[in-house]
Amino acid sequence: DQQVKQNSPSLSVQEGRISILNCDYTNSMFDYFLWYKKYPAEGPTFLISISSIKDKNEDGRFTVFLNKSAKHLSLHIVPSQPGDSAVYFCAAVVTGNQFYFGTGTSLTVIP
Amino acid sequence: ETGVTQTPRHLVMGMTNKKSLKCEQHLGHNAMYWYKQSAKKPLELMFVYNFKEQTENNSVPSRFSPECPNSSHLFLHLHTLQPEDSALYLCASSQNDRGQGKLFFGSGTQLSVL
């Protein structure tokens, strides 16, 4: 049973506009959430995280929003740049080192 | 450069071969992981080592055998694999004593089983 879901396999956005990537989860015991970015032929790299006690975390152009009642997580990228084109994975952590990943969303930013 | 190095980057092997994947982390972390990434599937956790002790083994077939000789090195020994084992194998490390550690991934080994 997949506990973390990314229902959009792909997303295309014009350069300069906002990219919104979504993630849903089922386990209310998750206490920490992360977003990873992956380029082809490379491993995923950490992008941004949020604790379950917060509803927003911002780092430059990247903002993660957490809606615990809806069990929903989103990543906003503003403004989107061509270099942001990659696959984005959301991940959720129970305690310690049990990481659960989604299937990823492939973002294409069109110049 | 994430501080986690995997070799080889690419591997092609027959079903009767024996090979090993190697991972080394230079971050001083206390946990190391093997993940499998197949197309259109979530990253699947295979093995976790905390302080060199294996703490997770998510029903992985015995044809995959991990080895963690010290906290900086991790191996995945492969033997008599099947074509469906073809995937990207990712090593990761983390520091977990603060409760909210991040995973740092290597670049992966793209494995093809013929």
Side-chain angles (χ1 to χ4, degrees):
Chain A
D1 182 33
Q2 203 171 321
Q3 299 192 47
V4 178
K5 296 181 182 178
Q6 292 176 258
N7 293 318
S8 298
S10 62
L11 175 68
S12 290
V13 171
Q14 206 71 29
E15 181 178 3
R17 307 293 290 267
I18 184 170
S19 294
I20 300 176
L21 297 100
N22 294 303
C23 181
D24 297 297
Y25 62 94
T26 56
N27 189 343
S28 57
M29 298 300 292
F30 288 137
D31 59 5
Y32 183 53
F33 302 87
L34 310 93
W35 283 95
Y36 281 83
K37 176 179 179 179
K38 184 181 183 301
Y39 292 118
E42 293 183 15
T45 55
F46 170 75
L47 193 58
I48 192 169
S49 63
I50 188 167
S51 167
S52 61
I53 62 172
K54 296 187 175 182
D55 54 19
K56 178 182 174 181
N57 188 26
E58 193 171 351
D59 184 2
R61 297 185 296 115
F62 302 91
T63 303
V64 56
F65 294 92
L66 176 62
N67 182 335
K68 281 180 293 186
S69 61
K71 294 191 176 67
H72 181 80
L73 188 70
S74 63
L75 174 68
H76 292 211
I77 306 173
V78 182
S80 300
Q81 299 173 354
D84 295 330
S85 298
V87 177
Y88 290 79
F89 292 94
C90 70
V93 186
V94 178
T95 53
N97 54 8
Q98 296 182 56
F99 290 78
Y100 296 83
F101 284 86
T103 50
T105 296
S106 178
L107 173 66
T108 302
V109 179
I110 304 162
Chain B
E1 179 58 50
T2 63
V4 180
T5 305
Q6 284 187 248
T7 54
R9 293 292 303 271
H10 302 273
L11 179 62
V12 179
M13 59 188 289
M15 290 191 284
T16 58
N17 292 156
K18 288 184 181 181
K19 296 285 184 183
S20 295
L21 309 184
K22 180 183 175 182
C23 178
E24 183 175 0
Q25 58 100 356
H26 312 275
L27 301 168
H29 287 166
N30 59 9
M32 295 187 78
Y33 311 72
W34 281 115
Y35 278 88
K36 175 183 178 182
Q37 188 190 9
S38 304
K40 296 189 169 68
K41 287 187 175 182
L43 283 154
E44 299 173 51
L45 178 64
M46 299 176 73
F47 301 103
V48 181
Y49 279 82
N50 272 303
F51 297 100
K52 302 186 302 176
E53 299 296 322
Q54 185 175 308
T55 57
E56 294 283 339
N57 174 351
N58 286 357
S59 303
V60 179
S62 59
R63 57 186 183 268
F64 296 92
S65 174
E67 178 190 1
C68 188
N70 55 60
S71 58
S72 298
H73 293 85
L74 186 64
F75 295 90
L76 187 62
H77 303 299
L78 316 171
H79 64 98
T80 59
L81 295 191
Q82 305 298 311
E84 60 264 29
D85 297 323
S86 298
L88 179 68
Y89 289 84
L90 290 161
C91 172
S93 71
S94 69
Q95 185 66 22
N96 291 325
D97 51 17
R98 279 166 286 173
Q100 292 189 341
K102 304 177 194 43
L103 289 175
F104 290 77
F105 286 91
S107 297
T109 296
Q110 187 65 55
L111 174 66
S112 297
V113 181
L114 305 178

